[in-house]
Amino acid sequence: YRCSPGGQTHFLVEYYSSSMPCSCTWHVQHSQHLPTKLVENGSIVNTDSSSILIIESITRDLQGIYTFYVQNI
């Protein structure tokens, strides 16, 4: 996605697990030379089958590659 500075963005992921609860995390890599880390600048809303990452105000410092991980426990 390309976002305008100061704007808001949402990332929505839906997934399916037939019977087991899942563990979900959002990670970001701000530069190729930096390690991936948990997202700190946003709010996350998880349900039994989806996750939404909400970033209220986009800044240049928040650009990077955002990845969602889900796994059965």
Side-chain angles (χ1 to χ4, degrees):
Y1 292 104
R2 291 190 185 270
C3 303
S4 300
Q8 183 185 79
T9 191
H10 298 181
F11 297 103
L12 168 66
V13 175
E14 294 179 314
Y15 55 90
Y16 173 75
S17 176
S18 60
S19 61
M20 299 181 128
C22 295
S23 171
C24 306
T25 56
W26 286 92
H27 295 250
V28 62
Q29 184 177 20
H30 292 295
S31 167
Q32 292 180 8
H33 307 290
L34 295 174
T36 301
K37 64 179 189 173
L38 289 172
V39 170
E40 298 172 349
N41 297 315
S43 54
I44 297 170
V45 178
N46 291 321
T47 70
D48 290 339
S49 61
S50 69
S51 183
I52 303 171
L53 169 60
I54 303 166
I55 300 175
E56 295 293 336
S57 182
I58 300 295
T59 64
R60 288 189 182 269
D61 295 341
L62 298 178
Q63 68 183 347
I65 297 172
Y66 288 79
T67 307
F68 175 74
Y69 293 95
V70 61
Q71 69 183 57
N72 289 347
I73 296 175

